[in-house]
Amino acid sequence: MGIEEFDVFVIGTGTAGKGVAKDCAEAGWKVAIADNREYGGTCPNRGCDPKKVLVGITEIIERSQNMMGLGISKMPEVNWQDLQKFKLKFTEAIPAATEKDLAELGIKMYHQSPKFLDENTLSVEGKTVKAKKIVIATGNKPMPLKIPGAELMLNSDDFLELEKLPESMIFIGAGYIGMEFAHIAARLGVEVTMIDTEPRPLSNFDEDMVAHLTDASEKIGIKFIFNAKASKVEKLRKYLRVTAETKDGEEVSAKAELVFNTAGRVPSIDELDLEKGNVAFTNKGISVNEHLQNTSNKDVYACGDVSDSEGLPLTPLSSQESRVVSANLLGKYNKTEAHYPPQPSVVFTLPNVASVGLSEQQAKERGFDYVVNHKSAPSWFNSKRIANRHYAFKVIKDKKTEQVLGAHLVGPEAGEMINMFVMAMCGGLSCKDLKAMIFAYPTWSNDIKGMT
């Protein structure tokens, strides 16, 4: 049997890889695609979408708790099994639907992670294939913790598939994944402990905004152990015990029925044998230039979370980078550069934490003459009407132009409100322009006029 040849071979079936494969197939190219997991990628199968479905029920719980005695007299009962069945309505059909769409375009599908044999040759499913161009869009995966007992830990995928909730959980890592799942669990009655090497959660977000979230987290029963590095996990009779060492050299421990590794995510590239393909990479992913072309193998491109680019590891950025790669492949070659507008990031805890643009420190380092509008605003009408206790903002604007340089929010609808700041920044609107607009009242979006 001869070696099959393709115009482009795409590795990864998430938002980025699927987009490139479809674009090239519709242009008449001979296309193949491969994935070692279910087709469709992380976000719809085991990430953003199912997570947000679970968050939805906790929004009801939180609102009910806040309004107890203010119109609510009885808390709703939660059935985890029913919630999981509801979540399946969003995830169950994704793999088959993705494969159906790709098959209709004549794309050859493989269900294994390929390995490079040389710059244009791959081994997949026991077959050798060649491709004129190869696109790596494998995304990220949980970062392994190399400590004794690591095999006893679960990850975010496992959390989403839990058949029942335990009485207690430990999360090792207080980044956005750990915090989001910790909030879901705690609001559903689980005793939650979080261990992190940093002095606070969410070290990439504004410290003042995160302080409000930390307070809200502790009020729902989440226990934090900060400045501590997990050193081992042990199986006891009923519980698992996590031992950690603090920065002061002290040993601390916590026990729970389940332990989750939420220490972060790393590029999913370890199975590709990149060295054999002369594909340069870093610990942040595939090394790329402004065209998202690999810096050492010019026939390789990378897009989405796995590319070591300026784009944040977020689904909207994956779509954007996918379009750049498609344009460069189909435009014969490299006429399109990747450009990155302001990129919002949201933590879907309750309250949400949201951010876009520069921090105070970044504005200072870049030499801006700026002013900061920072306030805690739980007494504002939109917050007060739902008895919400955590609502704050920090807006950084250029002193001369009054354009927004950065916005940092914490509150029930911060994830939606941050998009208004994105629009203002992308449109070059000044705070004076925003204040002159007429927004519907009383809406959360209208509050941004008071923030600027």
Side-chain angles (χ1 to χ4, degrees):
M1 191 178 196
I3 296 175
E4 190 163 9
E5 298 187 12
F6 298 95
D7 294 314
V8 62
F9 195 109
V10 180
I11 309 174
T13 62
T15 301
K18 183 174 59 177
V20 174
K22 286 184 173 181
D23 290 342
C24 292
E26 288 169 353
W29 283 29
K30 186 178 181 182
V31 180
I33 194 166
D35 205 315
N36 64 350
R37 296 199 62 171
E38 64 272 28
Y39 271 40
T42 297
C43 190
N45 282 310
R46 52 188 182 274
C48 338
D49 293 354
K51 170 198 70 184
K52 197 72 185 291
V53 173
L54 301 187
V55 168
I57 201 77
T58 66
E59 291 171 336
I60 296 170
I61 294 169
E62 193 234 12
R63 182 71 62 87
S64 299
Q65 287 173 333
N66 288 349
M67 296 297 291
M68 281 295 290
L70 303 174
I72 294 293
S73 57
K74 184 179 179 181
M75 286 295 294
E77 293 183 14
V78 176
N79 185 301
W80 177 257
Q81 287 75 27
D82 288 347
L83 179 58
Q84 286 287 44
K85 290 176 185 176
F86 179 57
K87 182 207 71 181
L88 285 176
K89 293 183 178 181
F90 298 87
T91 60
E92 204 167 31
I94 295 296
T98 303
E99 292 198 38
K100 182 174 180 288
D101 290 345
L102 296 172
E104 287 176 351
L105 290 168
I107 297 171
K108 179 71 176 287
M109 290 177 281
Y110 294 92
H111 294 81
Q112 188 186 72
S113 181
K115 297 181 184 295
F116 278 87
L117 298 179
D118 62 36
E119 291 194 349
N120 294 88
T121 309
L122 299 166
S123 174
V124 59
E125 292 185 356
K127 305 176 185 72
T128 300
V129 300
K130 284 187 173 290
K132 295 174 184 175
K133 301 294 175 183
I134 297 171
V135 177
I136 301 174
T138 48
N140 287 344
K141 64 180 183 179
M143 179 178 71
L145 281 178
K146 298 177 180 178
I147 59 175
E151 71 281 357
L152 299 171
M153 293 187 290
L154 304 176
N155 59 33
S156 58
D157 295 3
D158 300 309
F159 183 97
L160 290 168
E161 298 301 324
L162 286 175
E163 294 183 2
K164 63 178 183 178
L165 290 174
E167 293 181 2
S168 56
M169 293 180 182
I170 295 171
F171 293 89
I172 301 177
Y176 76 95
I177 295 173
M179 287 296 288
E180 288 172 343
F181 285 123
H183 264 244
I184 292 169
R187 291 187 188 280
L188 295 179
V190 179
E191 184 181 304
V192 173
T193 301
M194 305 200 74
I195 300 172
D196 199 273
T197 57
E198 298 295 324
R200 66 178 178 93
L202 302 170
S203 56
N204 292 332
F205 286 79
D206 181 86
E207 185 172 1
D208 293 318
M209 299 300 103
V210 173
H212 289 279
L213 176 61
T214 304
D215 180 60
S217 303
E218 291 174 338
K219 279 183 167 57
I220 63 171
I222 296 175
K223 299 174 184 176
F224 290 102
I225 300 174
F226 292 129
N227 296 308
K229 184 177 182 180
S231 56
K232 63 181 176 180
V233 182
E234 299 170 280
K235 178 83 169 91
L236 305 178
R237 181 173 297 178
K238 179 180 177 182
Y239 298 102
L240 296 173
R241 179 168 58 205
V242 178
T243 302
E245 186 175 320
T246 70
K247 290 185 177 179
D248 296 328
E250 295 182 18
E251 197 171 81
V252 294
S253 66
K255 293 186 293 186
E257 289 182 52
L258 297 179
V259 176
F260 290 87
N261 170 13
T262 52
R265 294 175 70 81
V266 293
S268 185
I269 56 177
D270 55 305
E271 296 183 26
L272 300 178
D273 283 355
L274 295 174
E275 294 87 351
K276 292 182 180 178
N278 188 31
V279 179
F281 62 95
T282 69
N283 60 1
K284 294 181 180 180
I286 304 298
S287 303
V288 293
N289 60 21
E290 66 274 18
H291 307 291
L292 300 181
Q293 180 185 41
N294 185 238
T295 54
S296 56
N297 183 340
K298 301 306 179 183
D299 289 331
V300 169
Y301 291 75
C303 51
D305 297 359
V306 77
S307 68
D308 184 3
S309 67
E310 294 178 34
L312 295 175
L314 303 168
T315 298
L317 271 295
S318 295
S319 302
Q320 186 132 324
E321 291 194 345
S322 171
R323 290 190 288 270
V324 171
V325 169
S326 293
N328 283 322
L329 290 174
L330 300 173
K332 306 269 185 187
Y333 295 103
N334 292 353
K335 295 180 181 178
T336 303
E337 293 185 5
H339 295 288
Y340 298 93
Q343 304 170 50
S345 188
V346 180
V347 184
F348 290 105
T349 48
L350 298 177
N352 300 166
V353 176
S355 177
V356 66
L358 303 182
S359 65
E360 285 185 77
Q361 183 63 30
Q362 289 169 331
K364 183 177 181 179
E365 289 171 353
R366 298 186 190 187
F368 283 102
D369 186 12
Y370 64 92
V371 293
V372 177
N373 193 11
H374 176 201
K375 185 176 182 179
S376 179
S379 62
W380 284 16
F381 176 77
N382 282 311
S383 179
K384 194 173 181 179
R385 73 176 177 83
I386 58 172
N388 170 66
R389 299 174 183 82
H390 297 92
Y391 186 34
F393 60 87
K394 181 183 290 185
V395 176
I396 303 155
K397 58 185 179 180
D398 186 283
K399 197 170 185 178
K400 182 178 180 181
T401 66
E402 283 207 357
Q403 290 185 339
V404 176
L405 299 174
H408 310 274
L409 313 175
V410 61
E413 297 294 338
E416 295 292 339
M417 295 174 70
I418 201 68
N419 291 323
M420 299 296 289
F421 286 99
V422 175
M423 291 178 66
M425 294 169 73
C426 289
L429 301 176
S430 69
C431 294
K432 186 177 180 181
D433 294 328
L434 288 173
K435 290 179 184 294
M437 294 179 181
I438 305 298
F439 292 154
Y441 178 87
T443 61
W444 290 96
S445 296
N446 186 71
D447 282 0
I448 75 167
K449 295 200 287 185
M451 296 177 176
T452 54

